[in-house]
Amino acid sequence: MKSAVETLNPTRVRLTVEVPFEELKDSLDAAYKKINQQVTVKGFRKGKIPARVIDQRFGRGAVLEEAVNDALPKFYTDAVNEAELNPLGQPEVDITELKDGETLNFTAEVDVRPTVEIPDYSGIEVEVDAVEVTDEDVEKSVEQLRERFASTSPVERAAEDGDVVTIDLQAKVDGEVLEDGVADGVSYTIGSGELLDGIDEAVKGLEAGGEATFTSELKGGSAAGKEAEVTVKVTQVAKRELPELDDDFAQLASEFDTLEELRADSRKRLANMKQYDQATQAQERVLDKLLELVEVPVPEKLLEDEINTRKHNLEHHQLGQMGLDLEKYLEIQGKTAEEFETETREAAVKGIKTQFVLDELVKQEKLNVSQEELTEHLMRRAASSGMSPDQFAQAVVEQGQVPLLVGEVARGKALAVVVEKATVKDTNGEIVDLDDEEETEAAEAAAESTESGDEKADDKADDKAEEKTEG
């Protein structure tokens, strides 16, 4: 087999491959064997039909087609390896010549990873928010904890803001009660915004036994997005009572003996959260600066696939779980379809560039991923997915996603290397010394958040070659 590579542009090449006919022998033998098992010829036992009879009855062309279909993926892969290419996505294969007994010639056009030159990045400087925890922040945190320990007691009066009402609901669309539009004994805090639009106005002023009807757009269920006539009946009104802010409350709500100890712990936890946020902000801003330094051509086909993947995930997974469609989502976000398209394209471009640049840094810095690092990353991913580590690990293995996780960790380490050499100052002008553990976690999160579909495309690189030869 002979092959040559022609560079069409920085992200696309054309392979020209010439295969001597004798190299098709194994595939021809396999083709005759496969056809033998599929057809019946009178006078011959199944599987024992001579090759010349198959040629006469079904045509030599059918055998050649089967053989070439079998052989193309291997010859394509050999040509890719010989040229040391990093293909992206599926090749476009065209058989240019097929002469029985002589030669098989074909071309394969495919997107490839561009060559990325990483310049000196030691001079990167970024500014991040200072870590400042105010007394107001602490009091807000303590107040949220206090809300969690609120108690309720029934009252015989009209419902007011902040009261907890027990209600029965019935929703009708076009005059018909929905099968999933009836709910009894629902507990609702007036003003929380956790149910339907308009329900606060409907129940305020009602006493136990009171009833009201209002119109609202349903947020979920079989009639999500439709206008419904909702009848609400109040069966109980209860007043929320907050515990006193004192040492007794501290002992009730925490492991601390005094309110001051509880406040001190809240201050410490808020500081830790803001330090992590600061580290994440540093990673993201350093990454943006790094991408500005590097010229990265983006394969158009890969970009379109990435845009489509992001749209699909948003519409069919994230929004579907919330009972929203894209139109309603854009309305809530206050965005036009054009703005959404632009933002999605920009995010896709950044994701692809990030992966190319960080992967090059992994090679340049000779970074490896240890089993311990992979396990820690898996534990974090499992926690964020709501699955147990064992369940998440099993799903990763079954779906063949271990290399994807290894890539995430490696790219996180690459970004951490860049951040370590960057100058990070806060808004007070102070140099920020990021904690190593926070830096690593934040770097992995930053690299992961812009992840592209590139690796998934790599897994499909040979698919097109397997299909091509018909016609």
Side-chain angles (χ1 to χ4, degrees):
M1 184 194 83
K2 293 193 302 182
S3 64
V5 181
E6 177 187 357
T7 300
L8 303 178
N9 62 49
T11 63
R12 194 166 180 82
V13 300
R14 179 188 293 123
L15 285 164
T16 301
V17 184
E18 297 179 11
V19 183
F21 205 79
E22 56 266 25
E23 293 188 30
L24 283 172
K25 182 180 183 307
D26 289 345
S27 293
L28 279 168
D29 291 344
Y32 278 116
K33 185 175 181 180
K34 182 176 181 179
I35 294 173
N36 238 309
Q37 299 299 323
Q38 293 175 338
V39 301
T40 302
V41 176
K42 189 174 181 180
F44 296 95
R45 284 186 297 159
K46 197 174 187 67
K48 300 294 183 180
I49 309 169
R52 59 179 175 76
V53 175
I54 290 177
D55 288 346
Q56 291 169 356
R57 288 293 185 93
F58 306 102
R60 174 72 167 175
V63 179
L64 289 175
E65 181 178 313
E66 183 65 41
V68 172
N69 270 329
D70 177 72
L72 263 183
K74 176 185 179 301
F75 292 131
Y76 166 73
T77 301
D78 289 347
V80 165
N81 293 337
E82 185 178 297
E84 297 182 344
L85 300 176
N86 290 309
L88 302 170
Q90 300 175 338
E92 294 180 5
V93 178
D94 183 27
I95 297 173
T96 54
E97 187 175 25
L98 176 58
K99 287 186 178 180
D100 195 357
E102 295 184 31
T103 186
L104 162 66
N105 297 337
F106 69 91
T107 62
E109 287 191 18
V110 66
D111 287 332
V112 293
R113 279 179 174 251
T115 300
V116 178
E117 298 291 337
I118 308 293
D120 179 20
Y121 49 80
S122 59
I124 290 178
E125 294 186 13
V126 297
E127 184 181 76
V128 295
D129 295 336
V131 173
E132 296 175 342
V133 180
T134 66
D135 291 343
E136 183 181 347
D137 293 331
V138 174
E139 291 310 311
K140 183 178 179 181
S141 175
V142 172
E143 192 62 30
Q144 288 173 342
L145 183 62
R146 189 183 179 205
E147 290 277 349
R148 287 168 50 191
F149 283 85
S151 59
T152 58
S153 55
V155 292
E156 295 182 3
R157 60 165 173 76
E160 301 173 355
D161 268 327
D163 285 344
V164 178
V165 290
T166 304
I167 53 178
D168 297 337
L169 294 165
Q170 183 186 81
K172 293 181 180 179
V173 173
D174 298 329
E176 296 290 330
V177 177
L178 299 171
E179 286 187 16
D180 55 355
V182 177
D184 293 335
V186 177
S187 180
Y188 175 67
T189 301
I190 300 175
S192 66
E194 294 173 352
L195 277 178
L196 299 167
D197 293 339
I199 195 167
D200 290 339
E201 292 75 11
V203 296
K204 275 194 291 189
L206 295 181
E207 297 183 22
E211 189 175 296
T213 300
F214 63 102
T215 301
S216 183
E217 183 179 301
L218 298 179
K219 295 180 179 179
S222 61
K226 293 184 178 180
E227 288 288 325
E229 182 184 85
V230 182
T231 300
V232 55
K233 181 178 180 180
V234 176
T235 58
Q236 179 181 279
V237 178
K239 181 181 179 181
R240 296 180 77 250
E241 296 177 344
L242 297 174
E244 290 293 327
L245 273 180
D246 53 24
D247 292 346
D248 289 339
F249 168 69
Q251 294 165 22
L252 170 69
S254 70
E255 71 271 30
F256 302 106
D257 292 327
T258 68
L259 184 59
E260 284 312 305
E261 288 176 327
L262 174 60
R263 284 194 172 111
D265 181 69
S266 294
R267 187 179 294 276
K268 182 180 178 181
R269 285 188 298 102
L270 288 169
N272 289 339
M273 289 169 56
K274 291 198 174 189
Q275 283 172 350
Y276 181 82
D277 291 343
Q278 185 187 63
T280 302
Q281 193 178 64
Q283 310 296 334
E284 293 171 348
R285 293 184 178 179
V286 168
L287 176 59
D288 288 341
K289 289 280 189 179
L290 176 64
L291 294 180
E292 289 175 9
L293 294 175
V294 188
E295 188 67 35
V296 186
V298 176
E300 193 59 36
K301 179 64 167 62
L302 179 64
L303 176 58
E304 293 306 316
D305 288 346
E306 178 65 14
I307 290 171
N308 291 334
T309 297
R310 287 172 182 257
K311 287 180 179 176
H312 178 85
N313 289 340
L314 175 65
E315 292 188 59
H316 298 279
H317 297 294
Q318 295 161 272
L319 297 184
Q321 291 175 356
M322 294 187 287
L324 297 174
D325 58 19
L326 183 59
E327 184 178 353
K328 185 63 179 176
Y329 168 75
L330 293 180
E331 181 183 326
I332 294 171
Q333 294 290 314
K335 295 178 184 175
T336 65
E338 291 75 17
E339 289 171 335
F340 170 73
E341 290 288 339
T342 299
E343 289 180 6
T344 303
R345 175 171 285 270
E346 289 175 350
V349 168
K350 183 178 180 180
I352 293 170
K353 286 185 174 182
T354 295
Q355 191 162 320
F356 286 165
V357 170
L358 295 184
D359 282 348
E360 184 60 33
L361 269 170
V362 169
K363 289 196 298 182
Q364 183 174 298
E365 300 290 341
K366 297 181 173 59
L367 300 175
N368 295 310
V369 176
S370 69
Q371 184 61 50
E372 183 182 358
E373 290 169 332
L374 181 60
T375 300
E376 288 176 358
H377 182 66
L378 186 147
M379 298 280 279
R380 286 195 290 269
R381 286 291 303 272
S384 65
S385 71
M387 300 170 68
S388 72
D390 287 345
Q391 288 174 324
F392 188 79
Q394 183 179 351
V396 165
V397 172
E398 289 176 352
Q399 295 169 19
Q401 297 296 305
V402 173
L404 189 64
L405 257 65
V406 172
E408 289 174 357
V409 177
R411 284 187 279 276
K413 292 180 70 173
L415 182 53
V417 168
V418 182
V419 173
E420 189 176 343
K421 294 184 178 181
T423 300
V424 182
K425 294 182 179 180
D426 65 20
T427 48
N428 294 328
E430 299 291 328
I431 295 289
V432 176
D433 185 16
L434 299 173
D435 176 83
D436 287 344
E437 185 175 346
E438 286 180 344
E439 183 179 317
T440 300
E441 287 187 31
E444 288 179 14
E448 183 187 330
S449 68
T450 53
E451 196 76 43
S452 77
D454 174 30
E455 292 194 0
K456 296 173 186 175
D458 284 347
D459 293 338
K460 301 177 183 176
D462 297 336
D463 292 357
K464 199 74 172 182
E466 293 178 355
E467 301 169 2
K468 186 72 177 177
T469 62
E470 295 189 15

